[in-house]
Amino acid sequence: MKKILAEIAYDGSIYHGFQIQPTKPTVQGEIEKALMKINKKKVKIHSSGRTDKGVHAKRQIITFDININIRLNNLKRALNAILLKKNIKILNLKHVVKNSFHPRFNAQKRKYSYCILNSNNYYPWEGYQAHYVNKKLNINNLNQMAKALIGNHDFTTFSCIKDKSKSKFRYIYFAKFKKRGKYIIFEIIGSSFLWKMVRSIIGTMLDIEIKNESISTFETILKSKNRTLARTTAPANALFLDKVYYE
C-alpha cells in the first residue's frame, strides 16, 4: 500500500459539503468514486477538515492509500480526467513518508478567506462566489473589529448549537480585511475553527458596520459567550479554504 498526499481545489456550489453523505453529492464522495475506478477497490480519503455545504477550497489537503503501481503524474492525470467534470481538481500529489501522518491532526494552522462584492458596477457572474453588500463599507471600521479576534478566545458566541467540540477556545493568528478592486477580502488564520464560526464572525461584523453601530459592539458580543447575540450568518458561497499549514 502507498500513502498519497494530495492538494485539491474545488467549487463547493453543487455539493452538500466535503464529508461523504449516503444520498447527497459531496466532494469526498466524488473523489472516492474516482479513486475506486482507478484502484479497482474501495478507497477512503482523510482530509484536513470538512468544509460546509457551498464552501469552496483553493488548497484542501487529503491523504489516501492505493495498492496499484502507478506514477504520480499518471494518477493525477487520470483523476483529473474524471474530477474536473465535477468541479474538483487535483493540484499536486506526493508520497507520504510517515504512515502516521494525518492531514487533520497534524495541521498547525488553517487559512480561510471571505469575498465581499462591494460595488454596484459588476457583471452578474462576479457575484457567483462572493457576498454582495450594497452599502459602502468602511474597511478601517471592519479592521478595528477584526483586531479583537487576535489571540486565544472562547468563541462560543460564534459557534453553531450543533457543534460538538469539547472546547470552544481557538487561537487566531491573523484577521484582516483587504480592498481588492470591487471586492473586500477578509482573511483569517487560526489553529482551527468551530462549525460555521468564520461565517458567523463575518455576518456579525458586517451587520454592525451596515447599521453604523459602535465598533466596540463586536468585542462585547465576542466576550459575552452568548450565541443569541451573534447576528445573521454570512452566506457560504463566498467562503474559501485557502491553505493548511504543517510543521
Side-chain angles (χ1 to χ4, degrees), residues 109-113 174 178 180 187-190 193 240-245:
K109 295 183 274 187
R110 296 162 176 85
K111 178 185 177 184
Y112 279 87
S113 63
F174 179 88
K178 299 177 180 180
R180 292 182 187 167
E187 296 180 344
I188 185 167
I189 301 173
F193 296 92
F240 295 81
L241 171 60
D242 280 354
K243 188 175 180 180
V244 185
Y245 299 81

Side-chain angles (χ1 to χ4, degrees), residues 40-245:
K40 307 303 180 186
K41 289 183 180 180
K42 186 175 177 61
V43 177
K44 182 175 177 59
I45 66 174
H46 299 278
S47 69
S48 64
R50 303 163 182 171
T51 51
D52 294 335
K53 177 182 178 182
V55 177
H56 321 292
K58 294 178 181 177
R59 287 198 178 271
Q60 167 75 282
I61 303 297
I62 65 169
T63 58
F64 55 87
D65 294 321
I66 58 171
N67 56 6
I68 58 171
N69 187 21
I70 183 172
R71 291 184 177 180
L72 291 184
N73 283 341
N74 292 338
L75 178 59
K76 178 182 173 182
R77 192 178 301 112
L79 284 170
N80 280 333
I82 301 168
L83 293 173
L84 280 172
K85 300 170 187 175
K86 306 285 186 177
N87 292 347
I88 302 169
K89 185 175 183 179
I90 306 296
L91 302 174
N92 291 298
L93 292 176
K94 67 178 183 179
H95 292 292
V96 178
V97 177
K98 292 184 179 180
N99 282 328
S100 60
F101 175 84
H102 193 288
R104 178 184 173 193
F105 302 126
N106 286 99
Q108 301 293 307
K109 295 183 274 187
R110 296 162 176 85
K111 178 185 177 184
Y112 279 87
S113 63
Y114 195 85
C115 186
I116 302 160
L117 180 56
N118 197 215
S119 169
N120 290 322
N121 183 25
Y122 67 93
Y123 294 106
W125 55 84
E126 289 183 297
Y128 170 55
Q129 292 183 336
H131 174 39
Y132 174 65
V133 177
N134 185 41
K135 182 193 172 182
K136 186 74 173 176
L137 298 173
N138 185 318
I139 197 166
N140 291 325
N141 288 346
L142 291 170
N143 277 325
Q144 284 299 312
M145 287 187 265
K147 283 181 181 179
L149 296 168
I150 306 300
N152 194 42
H153 300 285
D154 184 330
F155 283 98
T156 296
T157 299
F158 302 114
S159 65
C160 178
I161 197 166
K162 294 181 181 179
D163 192 298
K164 297 179 181 179
S165 303
K166 292 180 180 179
S167 172
K168 298 297 191 291
F169 277 89
R170 295 295 185 272
Y171 195 96
I172 302 301
Y173 298 91
F174 179 88
K176 192 171 184 178
F177 289 85
K178 299 177 180 180
K179 180 72 174 173
R180 292 182 187 167
K182 301 175 185 179
Y183 301 94
I184 292 175
I185 309 297
F186 176 64
E187 296 180 344
I188 185 167
I189 301 173
S191 55
S192 61
F193 296 92
L194 301 168
W195 186 19
K196 298 186 180 179
M197 171 180 155
V198 177
R199 289 165 53 206
S200 181
I201 287 170
I202 295 164
T204 301
M205 287 193 286
L206 289 177
D207 192 64
I208 290 169
E209 167 62 14
I210 290 167
K211 293 178 178 176
N212 296 316
E213 297 180 51
S214 169
I215 56 177
S216 64
T217 303
F218 179 75
E219 189 169 6
T220 301
I221 291 172
L222 168 63
K223 290 180 177 179
S224 72
K225 293 177 275 187
N226 184 346
R227 291 189 191 94
T228 64
L229 295 183
R231 310 295 172 83
T232 303
T233 301
N237 68 301
L239 183 62
F240 295 81
L241 171 60
D242 280 354
K243 188 175 180 180
V244 185
Y245 299 81

